[in-house]
Amino acid sequence: MTTVLIHQRTARRFRPSLSTCVIALAFAAPVSAQAQDQVPQSCVVDPAAVTARATITPPDTPLPEALARALDTAARGALDGAAAPGIIAGVVTPEGRWSGAWGVADPETGAVMEVGMHTRIGSVTKTFTGTALMQLAEAGKLSLDDTIDQYVPGVPNGDIITLRHLASMTSGLLSYTQADPFLDQFFADPSLQYTPQDLLDFAFPGSPIFAPGAQFNYSNTNTVLLGLVIEQVAGQDIDAVFDSMILDPLGLTETTGPDGAALLPEPYPQGFTLQGNAASPAAPSNATHWDPSWGWTAGAMISTLDDLLVYGRALGTGKDLLGAEAQQERLRSFPEPAGYGIALGCVDGWIGHTGELPGYNTTVFYDTTTDTTVVVQANSDIPSGDCGDEDVLPDNPGELACSSPASRVFAALSAALGHPFTMAPEAPAE
């Protein structure tokens, strides 16, 4: 078994994949797509029991006081070690719900962080794309075993790369966010707008980097291609697809699709980063209004805590998104003993995704063992801890394991809930 961190580093001042991915946990890479299909999956022990919860609505009442106090203490303690001005966090369990906000939304004005603020959610966007893909497959409008050349011409190895390869990050296509020409252009002017084709044009010259299904490599190119497939099959632009297939059924009124995400809706916190040409540890850049079009269906969406708590549970149970059979297929798509399935990660029963865009970091995870949803938003993507050669803030707590802000808080909350999410320490830069 090969262990892969979905956090690849380079020598430049930016985080991998421009931080659209960054799940701070180790995922096992499948040797091949065929071999993965033949191995019994156990990250989600009982998928049928999980999908049966789709008929249950958690109570809209406060969590017991003792648990609420423990979660508040965990969040405050983790924020002390996180390189973020503020965080927003929430939990929903069969016993009720809890949420809170700590720190500041704008260090310049002192405005406090508040529940309900909109943040960029980065690669949590990928789970929306994967969900829409599964919905179209369930409706018989495509197959996950279709090859990408049936929809998009000119893809290297397009006649043997399947939609399943793309969704599970085993296609062998280079991520455009690992291509130097793209990085040079983006960091020279983060206000530039990109079309999906622009992004593919950066990726294809360096592709393939391995044969489809041969190994795992987190690539934003995969999810951009899936976005094009979804638009073509659905006959609508991606925002309309997400609205009709995901946002409206779940009542996610504060979530913005990839095409409409250039402007953050009020209220929102300022977001800070050490990525880019202008940032330094002593003076992080304010990336709040950097154009997110380069993330598109891989990372451009915007949302709020309440919307993400509803969505996170639906992502696990399939409620109002997928039928039981299709949802169980998704819950069985993870390689052993933990890994990346159909646009989702899984570790010890926790399924979900972390997302980063410069300035923001988000985690959305659902515990299949306890029917618990946890969401954390941070207005920084700056890492802290023992992060090797990567840039960190001057007061960095080097004795801690390297982690992004939302991931650090999520780990603390999961421990307070009694089912710790164990993150693999992030490797130093090579």
Side-chain angles (χ1 to χ4, degrees):
M1 181 186 71
T2 303
T3 299
V4 180
L5 279 177
I6 302 187
H7 199 316
Q8 306 158 33
R9 301 175 185 275
T10 72
R12 301 183 52 167
R13 183 179 289 122
F14 64 91
R15 306 193 75 191
S17 301
L18 272 173
S19 301
T20 58
C21 62
V22 198
I23 299 180
L25 47 105
F27 285 145
V31 174
S32 70
Q34 292 77 18
Q36 177 179 335
D37 291 341
Q38 294 168 6
V39 175
Q41 306 299 296
S42 65
C43 191
V44 178
V45 175
D46 190 347
V50 176
T51 57
R53 299 174 189 151
T55 61
I56 302 170
T57 300
D60 190 19
T61 56
L63 284 178
E65 185 176 347
L67 179 55
R69 284 199 304 268
L71 291 170
D72 181 84
T73 299
R76 292 177 185 275
L79 180 58
D80 287 343
I87 58 167
I88 302 166
V91 172
V92 173
T93 83
E95 294 183 281
R97 60 187 298 128
W98 165 90
S99 64
W102 302 265
V104 296
D106 187 343
E108 185 173 329
T109 66
V112 298
M113 205 73 155
E114 296 180 0
V115 172
M117 285 184 162
H118 299 81
T119 63
R120 304 193 186 280
I121 63 173
S123 276
V124 175
T125 303
K126 289 180 173 69
T127 67
F128 286 81
T129 305
T131 298
L133 180 74
M134 288 293 296
Q135 289 175 326
L136 293 173
E138 184 180 33
K141 296 182 178 181
L142 57 75
S143 168
L144 296 185
D145 296 318
D146 290 344
T147 55
I148 187 59
D149 69 345
Q150 295 175 236
Y151 304 95
V152 180
V155 180
N157 276 347
D159 60 334
I160 54 174
I161 293 174
T162 66
L163 305 186
R164 193 183 304 273
H165 287 136
L166 297 170
S168 63
M169 300 294 177
T170 59
S171 72
L173 295 174
L174 177 74
S175 181
Y176 56 88
T177 49
Q178 294 172 340
D180 284 340
F182 170 77
L183 295 167
D184 291 341
Q185 180 172 299
F186 177 81
F187 286 125
D189 187 358
S191 69
L192 291 176
Q193 293 185 346
Y194 296 88
T195 67
Q197 188 59 54
D198 291 336
L199 304 174
L200 298 180
D201 287 344
F202 286 111
F204 289 171
S207 299
I209 57 177
F210 55 79
Q215 56 183 286
F216 175 95
N217 184 67
Y218 193 97
S219 172
N220 293 300
T221 305
N222 293 331
T223 322
V224 167
L225 283 167
L226 291 178
L228 292 174
V229 171
I230 290 166
E231 286 193 326
Q232 185 180 142
V233 173
Q236 295 177 300
D237 66 71
I238 200 66
D239 276 10
V241 174
F242 284 0
D243 283 347
S244 63
M245 297 173 66
I246 302 174
L247 306 188
D248 291 346
L250 294 179
L252 307 184
T253 59
E254 299 298 325
T255 300
T256 304
D259 283 342
L263 298 177
L264 276 160
E266 296 277 359
Y268 59 85
Q270 302 296 303
F272 298 91
T273 188
L274 291 181
Q275 298 192 77
N277 296 338
S280 70
S285 289
N286 186 324
T288 307
H289 300 297
W290 287 11
D291 192 284
S293 58
W294 62 270
W296 201 48
T297 50
M301 292 180 71
I302 295 166
S303 194
T304 63
L305 180 71
D306 285 346
D307 272 15
L308 291 174
L309 285 169
V310 171
Y311 176 67
R313 186 170 186 274
L315 197 59
T317 64
K319 179 178 174 61
D320 295 325
L321 294 178
L322 291 169
E325 184 177 348
Q327 181 66 12
Q328 288 170 33
E329 177 186 358
R330 196 175 193 186
L331 295 178
R332 292 189 180 100
S333 67
F334 308 108
E336 288 295 300
Y340 200 88
I342 300 174
L344 278 177
C346 185
V347 168
D348 191 27
W350 286 101
I351 66 168
H353 221 289
T354 295
E356 292 185 12
L357 252 68
Y360 299 94
N361 179 210
T362 307
T363 62
V364 177
F365 279 90
Y366 174 77
D367 183 4
T368 59
T369 69
T370 62
D371 193 17
T372 297
T373 309
V374 182
V375 172
V376 182
Q377 299 164 279
N379 58 339
S380 163
D381 67 320
I382 300 171
S384 62
D386 184 8
C387 298
D389 294 333
E390 188 165 0
D391 283 348
V392 293
L393 297 182
D395 59 351
N396 177 62
E399 72 280 4
L400 300 178
C402 187
S403 179
S404 299
S407 297
R408 189 175 299 287
V409 174
F410 166 56
L413 293 176
S414 71
L417 288 164
H419 183 192
F421 180 99
T422 304
M423 296 185 297
E426 299 178 9
E430 294 181 355

